Amino acid sequence: MKVKCLSLLLTGVIFSSCERGIQNSENPASLQLTTKTTSDISILAVGVTLNADGPGSTYSLLNSVLGGTAYEVPDCGHAQNHISEVFDSALNTNVFVFSAHVVLDDDRCVATDRQRTEIKTYGSSPANLKASNGETVTYRWKFKIDAGFKASSSFTHLHQIKAGDGDADAPLITITPRYGANNTDKMELIHVNSSGTTTKVKIVNLAPFKGNWVQVVETIKFGSSGTYNIAINKVSDGTSLMSYSNSNMDLWRTGTTFCRPKWGIYRSLNNPSQLRDEDVRFANFCIAEGSATCP
């Protein structure tokens, strides 16, 4: 007896079923159908993914997944695409490259004391990419800073969680490389509560990040008494470079209707002599709400 199996990938849902009792199709008279049971069907909600697909039309790709105008770049003053795509031999796939140039770039021709090359979700993004109060969201991505990466004693954020409206100025969470004298650069996980108090909740050495792809899995239950979990591991061998958990964390803002993520290079120019032109690589973004998972 032959068995036919059918698998369909739908938007946000994986549907898988098998029809049993289908005999030799060359003999129609032999076809017999049996009633399917719940064991024949599996449904799994999956998160929204953003993957580089090769050079060209990068901004269109970002917008098609994240919605609206999903990038914030200094192209207006420095005429080049500051987010591009290349093939990465270590991951054996296409990846995004975020670029920042010390002398030539600013923050979208608005602020000249900082530089911004970021992607985001925001008000124009689909609802399933924006976190509501009480909702749990998992963010997963990979990134690599260069072996010669230069951190600043001021801020350089590679990731932010921010309120989308209301009290939306300061971020809730950042992942921030920080300059340290005598080769003591650090990677900081920073939390800012609703009162504006900033706490470096985790600090690790930056050196193991340099020149290595890492994967980040960040799970947040948003709310004034929310929960937070993050794990950053080397892709090559799974070595843990940073982990942190908190079961009672202020992860909401006054007047906010949603929170959202940002990724890229957002850095101060207060100490330009400490900086250099940088390319930071990112890959395999995923946003999964509730029980959804990242494939």
Side-chain angles (χ1 to χ4, degrees):
M1 179 184 293
K2 294 183 179 179
V3 178
K4 283 187 177 179
C5 291
L6 175 66
S7 295
L8 297 174
L9 178 61
L10 305 177
T11 303
V13 174
I14 296 176
F15 175 83
S16 192
S17 70
C18 288
E19 291 183 3
R20 297 199 180 103
I22 301 179
Q23 297 182 357
N24 193 334
S25 60
E26 284 79 12
N27 182 6
S30 70
L31 292 179
Q32 299 175 356
L33 295 179
T34 62
T35 302
K36 289 193 284 289
T37 67
T38 55
S39 63
D40 298 322
I41 300 174
S42 61
I43 299 176
L44 175 66
V46 296
V48 175
T49 58
L50 170 62
N51 296 304
D53 60 5
S57 301
T58 301
Y59 292 167
S60 295
L61 171 61
L62 297 171
N63 294 343
S64 70
V65 176
L66 300 179
T69 302
Y71 53 89
E72 297 178 337
V73 293
D75 297 9
C76 54
H78 178 201
Q80 72 163 66
N81 288 347
H82 284 75
I83 306 175
S84 58
E85 298 168 78
V86 300
F87 183 81
D88 185 89
S89 58
L91 293 185
N92 195 33
T93 191
N94 292 299
V95 303
F96 297 101
V97 181
F98 290 61
S99 301
H101 309 90
V102 177
V103 175
L104 298 174
D105 296 343
D106 59 16
D107 184 1
R108 298 165 294 171
C109 295
V110 176
T112 58
D113 63 341
R114 63 196 63 199
Q115 300 174 325
R116 188 191 303 269
T117 302
E118 289 186 305
I119 61 173
K120 64 183 181 182
T121 68
Y122 70 122
S124 297
S125 299
N128 63 338
L129 300 183
K130 297 180 288 188
S132 57
N133 195 1
E135 186 171 38
T136 298
V137 184
T138 296
Y139 304 100
R140 187 210 64 198
W141 71 98
K142 298 183 180 80
F143 75 90
K144 185 181 83 167
I145 59 174
D146 189 73
F149 179 90
K150 296 295 186 183
S152 167
S153 53
S154 191
F155 68 84
T156 301
H157 301 324
L158 302 179
H159 168 61
Q160 301 185 74
I161 297 291
K162 297 198 69 177
D165 52 9
D167 180 11
D169 188 19
L172 285 73
I173 295 288
T174 71
I175 296 176
T176 305
R178 189 83 62 180
Y179 169 81
N182 302 316
N183 296 315
T184 59
D185 292 354
K186 303 297 182 183
M187 183 71 86
E188 301 173 348
L189 180 65
I190 301 173
H191 171 244
V192 184
N193 68 15
S194 298
S195 300
T197 301
T198 298
T199 305
K200 297 178 181 181
V201 296
K202 189 76 173 186
I203 302 174
V204 298
N205 290 330
L206 184 64
F209 288 83
K210 293 186 176 182
N212 292 308
W213 276 104
V214 301
Q215 177 169 276
V216 187
V217 179
E218 179 185 46
T219 302
I220 305 173
K221 181 178 180 181
F222 287 90
S224 56
S225 298
T227 63
Y228 185 87
N229 292 275
I230 191 169
I232 306 180
N233 298 329
K234 285 177 63 176
V235 170
S236 61
D237 60 10
T239 300
S240 174
L241 301 187
M242 175 185 283
S243 63
Y244 176 77
S245 296
N246 192 319
S247 61
N248 186 11
M249 197 175 210
D250 183 1
L251 294 165
W252 204 248
R253 288 288 188 269
T254 302
T256 297
T257 61
F258 70 95
C259 287
R260 44 58 175 270
K262 303 185 80 176
W263 294 278
I265 306 171
Y266 177 46
R267 65 183 185 180
S268 168
L269 289 175
N270 287 344
N271 305 101
S273 62
Q274 296 174 340
L275 300 172
R276 66 168 201 168
D277 293 354
E278 294 288 356
D279 289 332
V280 178
R281 297 190 171 197
F282 288 84
N284 305 134
F285 296 99
C286 176
I287 300 174
E289 294 188 333
S291 61
T293 61
C294 289

